Amino acid sequence: MTYLGIDIGTSGVKALLIDEHGRALGEASAPAVEPVRPHPGWSEQNPTDWWTATLGAIDKLKASHPSELASVRGIGLSGHMHGATLLGKNDEVLRPCILWNDGRSAAECLEMEAALPSLRQLSGNIAMPGFTAPKIAWVRKHEPAIYDKIAKVLLPKAYVRLLLTGEHVEDMSDAAGTLWLDVAKRDWSDDLLAVTGLTRDHMPRLVEGSAPSAQLKRDLAQRWGMDSAVIVAGGAGDNAAAACGIGAIRPGEGFVSLGTSGVLFVSNEKFSPNTEGAVHAFCHAIPDTWHQMGVILSATDSLNWLSRITGKKQAELSAEAEAQFAGPGEAIFLPYLSGERTPHNNAGARGSFTGLSQSTDTAQMAQAVMEGVTFAMRDCQRVLADAGTRIDRLLAVGGGSKSALWLKMLATNLDMEIALPEDGDFGGALGAARLGLCAAEGAKPADVMAMPPIKTTIAPDKNLSAAYSDQYARYRALYPAIEEARK
């Protein structure tokens, strides 16, 4: 028997086949049309692009691994969180999806919190423009004709599930990022929904991520050569899926993700909000488990930006920085190119360089960018600690984890060892496949979601700890000073 994990990202879709022992059998990917930014701070994508990429990735697996794909019993889904996919009464898409990194609804966030003083207590989170509910509040105000046609609001992976199964279903981890979920009770909140004028009828049915949600449509099963009823699991938001992929499901286990955005994730045995520090407190993808996240919006995307303006590839910039690295640099970079979530909750924040001189070159700028992202992750660790959270074990995932220098910076600044797993780029797809296995076979998540083989472990460089603490103090002082000057 085999199990399929599908990881839906904004840049494309990854599909991974595993066997009953969790071993990878084959993988494929297909690109999606890149998001567009109609106005500064906006980010949108056509939901049909995710579906086209999903079909493309699985069709590739059909060509390369036909017998393994034919024996699939369970499918799990992972997807980028918070996106507002608006559907009409016949499930037609009403407008492009407003994505997780869209900051247009800052005013609506303030209005929502004023309208419902218990919002933070119910949701366990601050109203942030990245979440789904403020996006609907924006549509209600600025696109009333669209708002009036809304029959369902789905998150990105739930839209793909709809096309796979014909069912409107969402899992707890992704639903927690909408700002409509009572996270402690793991149920939709009528009060939170009412703030945006919606009801439970507009929401998908809720299931746990490791539970069955629906069955794959017959015509799709035939397309891919599957000859039996295939169960589709509840699945998970991308970060919870990555946690399932690397085995971070027990209290104190976590990961640091250096992807387009950056995440410091830790599993909790109970619901543990810290809204003052802009910590995300969500349901995990498995029953009776929660998690916290510190989230920054521009991690490797900051290096992407430097790559665009210098004309040098990311790998080249990273190699240049590593070749000349001798400790904290003179330049400091604030990585707030798309605003920031943790700890500032400021969609209007912007990035900046300080400490540039005539001798500053691209290698030093690349180092400053990497250090700025590292300091932002240290900010996340600080506010998680303020909530009483302890991280016992930390693994690294995401494209940025390919940089040995970046991992060394992180280990030194977070003052803890960081383990680098093999095949880290497929954490989300692997976690989704594991959830598909649990749903199809009734297996216990703890028996399935073991830590993957570790490639290497990076220890803090104690010789640089004091210098980095001094540089981090300067980094922290810059944000309030710059924001004051921008007023």
Side-chain angles (χ1 to χ4, degrees):
M1 297 295 108
T2 61
Y3 308 91
L4 177 63
I6 304 171
D7 184 23
I8 300 120
T10 55
S11 60
V13 170
K14 298 175 183 177
L16 176 69
L17 279 168
I18 65 171
D19 64 16
E20 64 269 26
H21 303 294
R23 293 181 297 226
L25 303 175
E27 55 88 8
S29 61
V33 178
E34 287 296 314
V36 298
R37 293 183 177 274
H39 302 283
W42 292 28
S43 183
E44 299 183 348
Q45 194 169 37
N46 189 336
T48 59
D49 293 338
W50 313 325
W51 181 239
T52 300
T54 298
L55 293 176
I58 303 176
D59 285 346
K60 287 181 181 179
L61 280 178
K62 174 66 161 53
S64 62
H65 296 78
S67 60
E68 293 90 343
L69 191 66
S71 63
V72 165
R73 285 175 53 91
I75 296 175
L77 301 174
S78 165
H80 50 102
M81 298 179 68
H82 312 304
T85 308
L86 311 184
L87 304 183
K89 62 181 179 180
N90 295 315
D91 287 335
E92 71 275 16
V93 175
L94 297 177
R95 69 171 327 282
C97 175
I98 306 176
L99 296 176
W100 59 273
N101 56 348
D102 188 290
R104 76 185 71 179
S105 60
E108 286 72 23
C109 290
L110 297 176
E111 293 165 2
M112 290 176 63
E113 293 206 345
L116 184 64
S118 61
L119 182 147
R120 294 188 181 189
Q121 180 180 356
L122 286 170
S123 69
N125 293 278
I126 298 173
M128 298 182 180
F131 292 166
T132 319
K135 297 175 171 64
I136 302 305
W138 184 93
V139 172
R140 186 184 194 183
K141 184 190 298 183
H142 297 280
E143 298 177 349
I146 297 292
Y147 176 87
D148 289 342
K149 295 178 182 178
I150 296 174
K152 290 287 183 185
V153 181
L154 298 184
L155 296 165
K157 85 169 191 299
Y159 177 73
V160 172
R161 185 201 322 274
L162 172 65
L163 299 183
L164 287 170
T165 69
E167 299 287 336
H168 304 99
V169 190
E170 191 49 275
D171 93 287
M172 300 296 179
S173 69
D174 226 354
T178 63
L179 212 67
W180 288 314
L181 195 77
D182 185 324
V183 179
K185 294 181 179 179
R186 304 173 87 93
D187 190 17
W188 298 121
S189 164
D190 295 315
D191 289 340
L192 291 171
L193 285 164
V195 176
T196 51
L198 301 182
T199 69
R200 289 172 183 258
D201 291 340
H202 294 96
M203 296 294 104
R205 173 169 53 89
L206 290 170
V207 299
E208 294 290 348
S210 55
S213 70
Q215 285 193 356
L216 183 66
K217 289 180 178 177
R218 184 183 301 273
D219 62 322
L220 292 173
Q222 292 174 346
R223 172 176 178 152
W224 296 318
M226 302 171 189
D227 57 6
S228 62
V230 178
I231 297 296
V232 178
D238 50 7
N239 290 302
C244 293
I246 63 172
I249 64 171
R250 299 159 191 84
E253 296 178 338
F255 66 82
V256 56
S257 173
L258 289 175
T260 301
S261 61
V263 176
L264 186 63
F265 178 111
V266 61
S267 295
N268 310 119
E269 62 184 349
K270 62 182 180 180
F271 178 47
S272 303
N274 176 17
T275 55
E276 292 303 314
V279 170
H280 295 20
F282 293 160
C283 302
H284 209 321
I286 60 175
D288 301 319
T289 309
W290 286 260
H291 70 82
Q292 294 168 312
M293 293 190 296
V295 178
I296 68 172
L297 295 179
S298 298
T300 61
D301 216 22
S302 293
L303 209 55
N304 289 342
W305 166 80
L306 187 63
S307 173
R308 289 197 304 272
I309 66 170
T310 61
K312 295 187 175 183
K313 295 181 178 179
Q314 285 186 62
E316 184 180 0
L317 289 169
S318 180
E320 286 183 359
E322 186 160 359
Q324 58 84 53
F325 180 76
E330 185 176 278
I332 299 177
F333 175 73
L334 302 188
Y336 308 141
L337 300 174
S338 299
E340 197 53 290
R341 290 196 189 175
T342 311
H344 303 306
N345 185 33
N346 183 359
R350 290 295 177 261
S352 63
F353 274 109
T354 62
L356 301 180
S357 70
Q358 291 282 5
S359 63
T360 302
D361 57 20
T362 55
Q364 292 166 330
M365 294 178 75
Q367 177 179 329
V369 166
M370 297 165 75
E371 287 175 339
V373 171
T374 299
F375 291 147
M377 302 307 297
R378 187 166 176 169
D379 269 345
C380 292
Q381 182 194 48
R382 175 173 54 82
V383 294
L384 285 173
D386 289 345
T389 299
R390 188 183 71 187
I391 304 175
D392 298 321
R393 176 181 293 169
L394 200 61
L395 282 76
V397 298
S401 65
K402 295 176 182 177
S403 168
L405 175 59
W406 218 339
L407 292 180
K408 178 65 73 175
M409 290 177 179
L410 281 166
T412 302
N413 277 276
L414 301 182
D415 194 28
M416 63 183 302
E417 290 187 344
I418 297 177
L420 181 65
E422 296 177 2
D423 298 322
D425 284 351
F426 286 88
L430 175 58
R434 288 175 162 184
L435 291 166
L437 190 161
C438 289
E441 308 299 346
K444 295 180 180 179
D447 295 335
V448 173
M449 295 170 189
M451 181 184 294
I454 298 301
K455 182 185 301 182
T456 186
T457 299
I458 299 89
D461 187 338
K462 298 297 184 181
N463 294 324
L464 295 176
S465 295
Y468 265 126
S469 290
D470 291 342
Q471 189 81 327
Y472 175 59
R474 289 189 283 271
Y475 169 90
R476 285 194 65 192
L478 284 171
Y479 171 78
I482 291 173
E483 285 302 300
E484 180 65 26
R486 292 178 65 223
K487 290 181 180 178

